Amino acid sequence: MQPSYHPQKIEREAQAHWQKTKAALAVEDASKPKYYCLSMFPYPSGKLHMGHVRNYTIGDVLARFHRMQGYNVMQPMGWDAFGLPAENAAMANGVPPAKWTYDNIAYMKKQLQSLGFAIDWERELATCTPQYYKWNQWLFLKLLEKGIVYKKTGTVNWDPVDQTVLANEQVIDGRGWRTGALIEKREIPMYYMRITQYADELLDALDTLPGWPERVRTMQANWIGRSEGVEVHFPYAESEGVLKVFTTRADTLMGATYCAVAAEHPLATLAAKKDWQLARFVEECKRGSVMEADIATQEKKGMPTGLHVVHPLSGEKLPVWVANYVLMGYGEGAVMAVPAHDERDFEFATKYELPIRQVIKSKSGAYESVVAPWQAEYAEHGVTVNSGEFSGLEFQQAVDAIAAALEKKNLGNKRVQYRLRDWGISRQRYWGTPIPIIHCESCGDVPVPDDQLPVVLPEDCVPDGSGNPLNKRADFLDCTCPKCGKPARRETDTMDTFVDSSWYYLRYACPDNANAMVDERAQYWLPVDQYIGGIEHAILHLLYSRFWTKAMRDLGLIKLDEPFAHLLTQGMVLNESFFRKTEAGRIQYFNPVDIEIRTDDKGNRTATLLRSDGQPVESGGIGTMSKSKNNGVDPQSLIEEYGADTARFFMMFTSPPEQTLLWSDEGVDGASRFLKRVWAFGHQWHERFINVSKQQTTTYAFPADIAKVEPIVGALRREVHTVLKQATADIERKHFNTVASAGMKLLNTLQDAGNKAGATASPHFVQAVHEGLGILMRVLYPMTPHIAHALWSGLGYAGEIVDAPWPKVDESALASDEVELVVQVNGKLRGHILVPKSADKAVIEQLALANETVLKHTNGQPPRKIVVVPGRLINIVV
RNA sequence: GCCGGGAUGGCGGAACUGGUAGACGCACGGGACUCAAAAUCCCGCGGCCGCAAGGUCGUGCGAGUUCGAUUCUCGCUCCCGGCACCA
């Protein structure tokens, strides 16, 4: 054993050893419980960032820990390799997205390997390979046959200068990011997945996922947004037909004073034909953003259409307005407006001087009549008033009565509405899975036959920002119609990359199967037992994956209702940013590695200076690591300087996995210092362990009365096993930061005991240290596998640490016949008393009341009440 | 705007089911070693009052429930994630 810690050397050796012994290879084995541990696969953006390091370290800790517990573990890795950044890089550098992507994958794979993750690389996949996306295409066609995939028009951002569709991300303040041109909305035909058909199951099955965080389940439930209400039909006053609206507040129907439709609603289009001012307004509405956040925060604007509808129950004529706050994508694209009991309607009615009619009386007496300004109580359920025959009813009674009346007149009915919309998967972009459709002049849209799959994406295109380069590729476009054999043209739209990530976890079970999307091995490995990824995926990716699983199940491909049994959503990695304002008024950011922070003698910050010129910089606060703020820390330099174990240990120690993690150079130093101490301690005891048998790695024989005969041994073992007990509970509930501190406590304990025992250490004491160090190494192993591996074999413990079981707590080492109780007077801590473990309540009370400080604080008053919490505290109330 | 989450010393965080607030680490201060520095080791370290013993305040803000609240309830403030074409 080397006397000092050389992480680069021991990590290289450990990794080479594990590669040679195929330590991470996962093989189906029915004799053991399986554990499928999956981290969200990375987008190959160029190099790893700290978020990746954190994500995959969490996954690796769980994978290694479960192996220690006897599970047959599979931890795979792959690449979410299609997507927009590759096209952006192509535009910037002229490199084809394929080459850029494959180069990035090669580099990032090396980085992942240098971190020592126990990944079964034989299962590696990349979504941009024809072997993978063939099955996107195949399933797309199966779902098209079943009617789950269908075609309709959808709205996209159109850049009129580049003549191209832009992603939301590429629209900045309503303008194209490259051209600066005002963006228009455009309606184009697209393929959709009928996820709404599964809305009820996706919602109900959330209850079958106790392993998911409550907040994610709540977010998904709200996203699906099932609401029960009434569809109301308002007949057109000036023509045939009805305006359909959906409402959850049918009890307020008699208070409706106008209706409002979205700018895209047919009624708006119709009215705009006769009114140029309205036409201009409708155009203006269509110009705005397609993003919900923008629509919800923009100023509410509207214009009357001049058209009217008839109130289905009162027969009153109500005006129809076009309003920019009505969404075409939700419900019917039209709403009935009840200004007295809906905040948005109230605001709108006040602005445009539309009538406000109160039809609900406050039940709590919070208000008498609805008057400006708006009060939250106006929207609460209450008793109906001013509603003719429907007056005097409670909420549910009113809804029932009004729904029945509407149904009788054939002008409405109760129904369920979802907020969830169908999933549009067409993208007018190059670097994605080609949609396997052929357009034929005589046969229309023809699916590509199975035996012609995959439709291969040419890999040498270089997008230039003006439309999809596939449209310029005759060798891709030109084909023959599979039905009639005449010349035809291929579809050039590609699929949303969420399609790729909706089923990759199934493919890891059988990545080598060229003849089927999934096979029986998926049945063995699935569901994923533990899924780990960013909270930012709480809705879209996870919901699409759940939907996809159910769709595949219904095609008979798998027997699986839910893909992910347990979910851990890890927090983001943050860092402080530093900047200066240049003379031109621009903000220039400096990387934190180039900043010197000065502090006073209390540790408070006094100055932040740029090292190169010694001049001050300002703090831009704490935020996610990003290119724009230049506050990223490169994992590569960290690994090279400190080693993988330090990087991993720092990540686990600094924050609990679900919380944000604040980067700290000093924290990294601390982690490194700890590992050096671990190594030094191992080396220090190396010689003395020679006489301890290898058999004793897991079973140690101590005399039953060791604590009495050798108190120092008893005390050491009590400490070690107390910490182990805590560490075991913590790793099980995934509190890795306290598992890391348990490791530190173990080392402190062993070191203190060693210092006390000195050179006179007895054989039992050496054995207790041997036991404690073996426990320490196994507690650390999931987090810092390399140093644990090297010490384990270096110190002569039996076998390899990859095969070692998680240590067991020796309850007999914890035994003690006295407990310390906290004594409180009136809830305030006043002292501690030592009582025999067997002491009953009366004895404890007596001991406490006789306590000197208690007497002082009770001032001789008799206790009014005494609360005793066994094993914890006693509270005397006077 | 809507949905979800968070806030504890100078800093990251700990406190399992309402029971000793601040484990563990970082930073900082003092000391040892050294010609010196680094590294390492030892001690201290929430605020205020006090030589000390001890007292007192203290978990974003304001209320409430309780013998007892970081933990439960209600009302706020600020920060973060998502909002359907970033992944």
Side-chain angles (χ1 to χ4, degrees), chain A residues 521-779:
Chain A
R521 288 173 290 173
Q523 210 52 50
Y524 172 81
W525 287 112
L526 273 289
V528 171
D529 294 280
Q530 180 67 59
Y531 197 30
I532 306 121
I535 181 68
E536 68 272 19
H537 296 289
I539 296 175
L540 292 179
H541 162 61
L542 291 168
L543 193 64
Y544 291 149
S545 296
R546 296 181 59 219
F547 156 69
W548 197 279
T549 298
K550 292 172 196 299
M552 281 182 69
R553 175 201 63 194
D554 291 346
L555 285 169
L557 297 166
I558 46 171
K559 294 184 201 119
L560 186 70
D561 293 318
E562 287 289 338
F564 313 122
H566 294 267
L567 175 69
L568 189 151
T569 50
Q570 121 245 7
M572 294 182 309
V573 182
L574 312 180
N575 199 7
E576 189 167 6
S577 60
F578 298 95
F579 70 91
R580 264 186 208 157
K581 279 202 182 123
T582 62
E583 277 177 29
R586 282 233 208 104
I587 287 180
Q588 187 187 2
Y589 282 97
F590 299 98
N591 196 280
V593 298
D594 301 322
I595 304 298
E596 180 191 343
I597 294 174
R598 297 225 174 124
T599 59
D600 63 16
D601 58 9
K602 281 187 175 161
N604 294 315
R605 179 182 292 185
T606 54
T608 47
L609 308 170
L610 184 67
R611 276 188 230 276
S612 56
D613 62 11
Q615 295 302 305
V617 291
E618 286 183 62
S619 169
I622 295 186
T624 50
M625 288 188 176
S626 71
K627 261 185 204 160
S628 61
K629 291 205 166 174
N630 191 13
N631 62 343
V633 177
D634 184 9
Q636 201 54 39
S637 55
L638 179 68
I639 299 165
E640 280 161 17
E641 191 177 345
Y642 292 95
D645 280 341
T646 294
R648 296 168 56 121
F649 190 81
F650 165 74
M651 288 270 163
M652 293 300 98
F653 175 66
T654 301
S655 289
E658 307 223 88
Q659 278 180 40
T660 55
L661 181 147
L662 180 59
W663 183 260
S664 152
D665 288 330
E666 293 78 17
V668 174
D669 282 332
S672 165
R673 206 174 301 156
F674 169 67
L675 294 180
K676 278 183 198 157
R677 282 177 58 209
V678 171
W679 186 271
F681 185 78
H683 184 259
Q684 182 194 329
W685 282 80
H686 184 213
E687 297 298 320
R688 300 215 229 174
F689 283 173
I690 283 166
N691 295 324
V692 181
S693 155
K694 283 199 174 193
Q695 293 306 314
Q696 290 182 347
T697 299
T698 49
T699 52
Y700 291 85
F702 291 97
D705 60 350
I706 187 77
K708 288 210 175 73
V709 181
E710 293 190 55
I712 193 168
V713 175
L716 172 59
R717 294 198 71 233
R718 179 154 50 245
E719 285 265 348
V720 164
H721 284 273
T722 303
V723 176
L724 173 60
K725 194 171 183 173
Q726 175 234 312
T728 306
D730 284 347
I731 196 166
E732 277 169 358
R733 55 188 186 130
K734 306 181 183 83
H735 290 199
F736 306 127
N737 55 327
T738 51
V739 178
S741 45
M744 292 174 164
K745 280 185 203 172
L746 282 172
L747 180 65
N748 291 345
T749 301
L750 289 167
Q751 233 161 18
D752 289 349
N755 291 344
K756 265 186 224 160
T760 63
S762 73
H764 279 138
F765 185 82
V766 174
Q767 213 181 29
V769 173
H770 191 271
E771 179 195 25
L773 194 56
I775 286 172
L776 171 60
M777 282 183 288
R778 282 175 291 163
V779 165

Side-chain angles (χ1 to χ4, degrees), chain A residues 93 99 214 271 402 448 706 734 815 851:
Chain A
N93 313 317
K99 180 176 166 31
E214 186 71 43
I402 286 169
V448 174
I706 187 77
K734 306 181 183 83
N851 187 281

Side-chain angles (χ1 to χ4, degrees), chain A residues 396-451:
Chain A
Q396 197 56 54
Q397 293 173 317
V399 170
D400 292 348
I402 286 169
L406 288 169
E407 206 147 348
K408 213 163 163 189
K409 296 179 110 173
N410 217 8
L411 287 174
N413 52 277
K414 282 194 181 177
R415 72 169 172 88
V416 169
Q417 172 72 38
Y418 298 96
R419 208 188 74 94
L420 180 68
R421 307 201 293 262
D422 278 340
W423 172 19
I425 60 155
S426 294
R427 296 290 179 270
Q428 297 67 45
R429 271 189 271 286
Y430 156 66
W431 190 233
T433 302
I435 290 178
I437 294 287
I438 289 167
H439 301 289
C440 168
E441 284 204 3
S442 29
C443 309
D445 295 351
V446 183
V448 174
D450 280 2
D451 60 10

